[in-house]
Amino acid sequence: MNDAERRNMPLFPISIVKKLTELSPRQIRYYEEHGLIEPARTEGNQRLFSFRDVDRLLEIKRLIEDGVNMAGIKEIFNMKEQVPAEQPVKQDLSDHELRRLLRQEVMMGTKQGKPSMIQGQLSRFYR
C-alpha cells in the first residue's frame, strides 16, 4: 500500500474529525453539502473521513479565517484540480530556460507598449 492509498483510506468518524479540526459537526456537514469534501459511508450510513479529508477541512478552515467565502474556496479547489491536468508544473529550470523565460517576459512588455511586471528590474540585463 502506497502513501496515496493510505491518505485516502476512510478511517475517522465525525467525532474524531471534529476534535482534529476544531470544526463543529454542522460545519463539516455543510462543507460536504457544498461538495468540498466527500467522506465515505458505512453500511449504516455513518461518515468516515480520510487523512485527505481532514487536510482539506483544515485548509477550508484556514481560508475561511483569511476571509475567503464559499464561492472563492470552491474556485480555489477547482483551480488546484485543473492545474495538473492542463499544465504539468516543472520542478527545476535550467539557467538557460530561466533566462529565456525572463527575456521573453521583458520583451513582451516592450512589444505591447506597456512595462511587464519585471521589466523595470531586469531590462538592463537584456538589451
Side-chain angles (χ1 to χ4, degrees):
M1 181 180 303
N2 65 30
D3 190 48
E5 290 172 339
R6 284 187 191 98
R7 295 201 59 73
N8 287 315
M9 187 181 297
L11 299 170
F12 308 112
I14 199 165
S15 61
I16 301 296
V17 173
K18 180 179 91 166
K19 290 177 185 176
L20 291 171
T21 62
E22 297 178 343
L23 294 170
S24 71
R26 178 65 196 122
Q27 288 172 304
I28 296 168
R29 288 190 300 269
Y30 180 77
Y31 300 140
E32 179 185 4
E33 289 169 13
H34 281 274
L36 297 174
I37 57 169
E38 296 177 21
R41 298 282 184 145
T42 65
E43 289 180 19
N45 209 26
Q46 179 185 12
R47 291 173 180 85
L48 287 179
F49 298 85
S50 66
F51 284 111
R52 183 180 171 276
D53 293 327
V54 172
D55 289 341
R56 195 155 177 143
L57 284 166
L58 290 170
E59 186 174 3
I60 293 167
K61 181 180 175 184
R62 183 187 56 78
L63 290 168
I64 294 282
E65 289 170 352
D66 289 344
V68 180
N69 63 17
M70 288 301 293
I73 292 171
K74 287 179 183 179
E75 187 64 30
I76 289 168
F77 287 161
N78 286 336
M79 287 177 7
K80 282 183 177 184
E81 291 172 2
Q82 290 175 0
V83 168
E86 292 177 3
Q87 180 183 18
V89 177
K90 198 168 186 180
Q91 294 294 332
D92 295 318
L93 291 175
S94 69
D95 286 343
H96 176 69
E97 291 170 322
L98 179 60
R99 289 174 193 211
R100 183 183 56 78
L101 290 171
L102 290 172
R103 180 186 305 253
Q104 183 180 3
E105 175 69 21
V106 169
M107 299 316 277
M108 282 297 274
T110 303
K111 288 179 185 173
Q112 295 175 354
K114 56 184 174 182
S116 69
M117 262 180 17
I118 60 173
Q119 188 173 9
Q121 300 297 321
L122 296 175
S123 61
R124 65 179 183 259
F125 296 112
Y126 298 106
R127 293 205 181 238

